[in-house]
């Protein structure tokens, strides 16, 4: 049976160990922390480290920045965009 879990992301780059088949749902601020919500089956055996990068609006980012996950609006008015880095 699937469940939804929350993981904290750091500003810049975050490495999150997720179970195989985990589906990224969204990302938002919660109590001043950047959080990632993920749907997964906790009974799955096996995990993979996945990489998430955050870029500020107007800041440079690489051409192969990955898959867009969501936009974060901070209490201070800054805006960041979260991407999952696709490593082949």
């Amino acid at each position: 049976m699937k469940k939804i879990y929350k993981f904290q992301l750091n500003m810049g780059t975050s490495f999150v160990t997720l179970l195989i088949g985990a589906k990224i749902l969204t990302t938002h601020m919660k109590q001043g922390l950047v959080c990632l919500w993920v749907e997964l089956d906790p009974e799955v055996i096996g995990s993979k480290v996945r990489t998430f990068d955050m870029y500020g609006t107007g800041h440079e980012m690489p051409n192969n920045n990955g898959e867009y996950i969501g936009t974060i609006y901070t209490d201070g008015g800054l805006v960041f965009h979260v991407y999952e880095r696709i490593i082949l």
Side-chain angles (χ1 to χ4, degrees):
M1 178 175 291
K2 292 183 180 180
K3 294 183 178 182
I4 296 174
Y5 286 86
K6 177 183 68 158
F7 298 87
Q8 181 181 332
L9 297 180
N10 300 313
M11 296 305 262
T13 299
S14 298
F15 302 96
V16 181
T17 302
L18 297 174
L19 294 175
I20 301 296
K23 177 182 174 184
I24 306 302
L25 299 177
T26 191
T27 183
H28 289 287
M29 291 286 288
K30 182 176 181 189
Q31 298 174 333
L33 301 173
V34 177
C35 297
L36 180 74
W37 279 265
V38 179
E39 178 185 287
L40 55 83
D41 182 345
E43 295 182 15
V44 166
I45 297 173
S47 62
K48 178 180 178 183
V49 175
R50 293 168 69 172
T51 306
F52 299 90
D53 296 306
M54 225 178 300
Y55 304 100
T57 297
H59 293 191
E60 289 187 15
M61 53 194 286
N63 290 333
N64 58 343
N65 54 303
E67 183 177 331
Y68 173 77
I69 301 299
T71 295
I72 303 295
Y73 301 91
T74 68
D75 293 336
L78 298 175
V79 180
F80 294 92
H81 311 279
V82 179
Y83 288 80
E84 181 174 6
R85 190 183 308 171
I86 307 301
I87 300 173
L88 302 175

